[in-house]
Amino acid sequence: MNTNHLIIAAGIAEIAAGCISMGLGGFLAGESETDNYKAYEANEYHEVEVMPESELKEVEDAFLSLGVDDKLSHEVALQISRDKDRWVDFMMKFEIGLEKPDKGRAHKSGLNIAGSYLVGGLIPLFPYLVTPDNKTGLIWSCIVTILALMVFGYFKSKVTHQPLLKGTIKVTSIGIVAAAAAFLLAKLVS
Amino acid sequence: MNTNHLIIAAGIAEIAAGCISMGLGGFLAGESETDNYKAYEANEYHEVEVMPESELKEVEDAFLSLGVDDKLSHEVALQISRDKDRWVDFMMKFEIGLEKPDKGRAHKSGLNIAGSYLVGGLIPLFPYLVTPDNKTGLIWSCIVTILALMVFGYFKSKVTHQPLLKGTIKVTSIGIVAAAAAFLLAKLVS
C-alpha cells in the first residue's frame, strides 16, 4: 500500500489552486497590458487632435535625438503626421515605448502560466505516485526535479542565447536553493 | 486555545515557499529579458557592421511604412546611420520592438513578486490568527479576502484607467471563482 496519499492529495490541491489562481492572474495581467496600451493610444489620438503642434514637435524631437538635422526632422515629422494612424503608431513606439499587444494575448498568457504551473508542479509530485513511502518519494522527487531543472535551464539558455553551461548551472542551483529554503521554512513552522 | 495552528503552519509554509520560488522566478525572468535585449542588441551592432547596406535599407523601409516618401526616407536613414549607437537604438525600437530594460530590473521584479505573494498570502491567512476555530476562521478569511479583492480591483482599475465599477467587480469575481474552484478541488482530492 502506498503511504504517500497525503502528500499526493496536498500536492494535487496545491497544483490545482496554483494553476487556477496563477492562470487567472496571468489573464488579468495580459488584459491590463492591452487595456493600458489602448488607454495610451486613445490619449495619443486625443492629443494629435487637440494639440497637433506640440505632438508634431515631439515627432521632430524624436528625430533630433536620433541625430537627424533640424530641417530634415521637420520634413519627416510633417510627412508622418499626414496620416493620423501612422502618426499615433509612431508616438506609441517612440514616445511611450509600447508595442501593440497581440490579439488574444491575455488568454494565451493565462493558459501558458496555468500550463507551466501544472507541468512544473507535477514533476516533483510524480515520484510520490510510483514510490512506496515518503522517504523514497522525497529522494526520487529531488532527483527528478534536479534533472528537470537542468533540462529546463539548458533550453532556456539556448533560447535566450546565453552560455549553456553557466545558464544550466544557474537555473538548477536557483531551483535547488528555492526548494531547500522552502523545505526548511516549512519544517521550522510545522 | 486557538485550534487553527495546522492551517497557520501550512499557510506560512506555503507563503514562504511561494515567495522564494516566485521571487526567484521573477528574478530569472527579469534577467532573461535583459539578456534577450543584449543578445538582440549585439546582433544589431554586428549587422550594422557587416551588412550596413541592408540595415540602412531596413531603416528606410521603416520610414516608408510610416508614410514618408522615398527621397526623404533615404536621407533620414543616411543621417541616422552616421552614429552607430543611434542607428542600433532605432533598429531596436523599430525593427525588434524592444525597449531597453531598466538597470536592476531583475532584482526589482523578483522583490515585487515576492512582496506581492507575501501580502496576498497573508490576507486570507491572517483571520485564522485571531479567530478561535477554523470555521470562524474560514468565514472571516472569506470576508477579509473579498474586501481585499475589491480594494485591489478598485486601485488596479484606477491605475489602468478602466471603468472603476466594472474593473472592481471583475477582479473580485475572478478572485472568488479562483478561490472557490481551488477549495472544491482540494476537497475533492483529500
Side-chain angles (χ1 to χ4, degrees), chain B residues 58-76:
Chain B
E58 287 184 29
V59 179
E60 270 187 64
D61 289 345
F63 288 108
L64 290 173
S65 76
L66 282 165
V68 177
D69 68 36
D70 287 20
K71 186 174 154 284
L72 207 53
S73 293
H74 184 66
E75 278 177 50
V76 175

Side-chain angles (χ1 to χ4, degrees), chain A residues 1-6 8 126-134:
Chain A
M1 173 60 192
N2 190 310
T3 60
N4 291 332
H5 57 274
L6 186 64
I8 294 165
F126 168 72
Y128 288 98
L129 287 163
V130 293
T131 50
D133 59 81
N134 57 24

Side-chain angles (χ1 to χ4, degrees), chain A residues 9 12-14 16-17 20-22 24 27-28 31-32 35-36 39 63-69 72 75-76 79-80 82 86 89-90 93-99 117 156 159-162 170-171 174 177-178 181-182 185-186 189-190, chain B residues 9 12-14 16-17 20-22 24 27-28 31-32 35-36 39 63-69 72 75-76 79-80 82 86 89-90 93-99 117 156 159-162 170-171 174 177-178 181-182 185-186 189-190:
Chain A
I12 292 176
E14 214 290 312
I20 296 167
S21 59
M22 301 302 291
L24 286 172
F27 172 77
L28 276 182
E31 260 203 338
S32 297
D35 290 343
N36 196 37
F63 288 110
L64 290 172
S65 77
L66 282 165
V68 177
D69 67 37
L72 206 53
E75 278 177 51
V76 175
Q79 290 204 359
I80 290 176
R82 284 182 308 197
R86 284 168 174 163
D89 272 1
F90 180 85
K93 269 206 173 175
F94 236 95
E95 190 199 356
I96 320 281
L98 286 179
E99 284 289 308
Y117 203 98
K156 178 184 172 292
V159 168
T160 55
H161 305 284
Q162 293 306 300
K170 190 170 182 181
V171 169
I174 285 187
V177 167
L185 273 161
V189 294
S190 64
Chain B
I12 291 175
E14 213 291 310
I20 295 166
S21 59
M22 301 301 292
L24 286 173
F27 172 76
L28 276 181
E31 259 202 341
S32 298
D35 290 344
N36 197 36
F63 288 108
L64 290 173
S65 76
L66 282 165
V68 177
D69 68 36
L72 207 53
E75 278 177 50
V76 175
Q79 290 204 359
I80 290 176
R82 286 182 305 198
R86 283 166 175 165
D89 272 2
F90 181 85
K93 269 206 174 179
F94 244 90
E95 189 198 357
I96 320 280
L98 286 179
E99 284 288 310
Y117 203 97
K156 176 184 173 295
V159 168
T160 56
H161 304 285
Q162 294 306 298
K170 190 170 181 181
V171 168
I174 285 186
V177 167
L185 275 161
V189 293
S190 63

Side-chain angles (χ1 to χ4, degrees), chain A residues 8-187:
Chain A
I8 294 165
I12 292 176
E14 214 290 312
I15 293 171
C19 267
I20 296 167
S21 59
M22 301 302 291
L24 286 172
F27 172 77
L28 276 182
E31 260 203 338
S32 297
E33 218 171 302
T34 309
D35 290 343
N36 196 37
Y37 184 90
K38 282 186 188 154
Y40 272 110
E41 195 182 44
N43 188 48
E44 284 300 321
Y45 270 108
H46 177 73
E47 286 184 6
V48 154
E49 206 64 59
V50 300
M51 39 181 183
E53 300 83 9
S54 89
E55 287 300 292
L56 196 66
K57 184 76 181 45
E58 286 184 28
V59 179
E60 270 187 62
D61 289 345
F63 288 110
L64 290 172
S65 77
L66 282 165
V68 177
D69 67 37
D70 286 20
K71 188 175 151 285
L72 206 53
S73 294
H74 184 67
E75 278 177 51
V76 175
L78 276 181
Q79 290 204 359
I80 290 176
S81 68
R82 284 182 308 197
D83 182 313
K84 283 208 174 105
D85 295 335
R86 284 168 174 163
W87 191 359
V88 169
D89 272 1
F90 180 85
M91 297 305 285
M92 289 303 291
K93 269 206 173 175
F94 236 95
E95 190 199 356
I96 320 281
L98 286 179
E99 284 289 308
K100 213 180 204 98
D102 299 340
K103 245 193 141 185
R105 175 185 176 79
H107 288 96
K108 264 183 238 155
S109 179
L111 286 174
N112 272 346
I113 291 172
S116 310
Y117 203 98
L118 181 67
V119 173
L122 287 178
I123 290 169
L125 186 62
F126 168 72
Y128 288 98
L129 287 163
V130 293
T131 50
D133 59 81
N134 57 24
K135 216 168 175 175
T136 328
L138 180 61
I139 292 167
W140 280 103
S141 179
C142 289
I143 295 171
V144 168
T145 305
I146 289 170
L147 286 174
L149 283 167
M150 289 168 74
V151 171
F152 175 72
Y154 177 82
F155 284 104
K156 178 184 172 292
S157 308
K158 205 156 187 174
V159 168
T160 55
H161 305 284
Q162 293 306 300
L164 293 183
L165 185 66
K166 197 184 146 203
T168 305
I169 291 173
K170 190 170 182 181
V171 169
T172 309
S173 51
I174 285 187
I176 292 172
V177 167
F183 183 83
L184 291 175
L185 273 161
K187 275 256 175 216

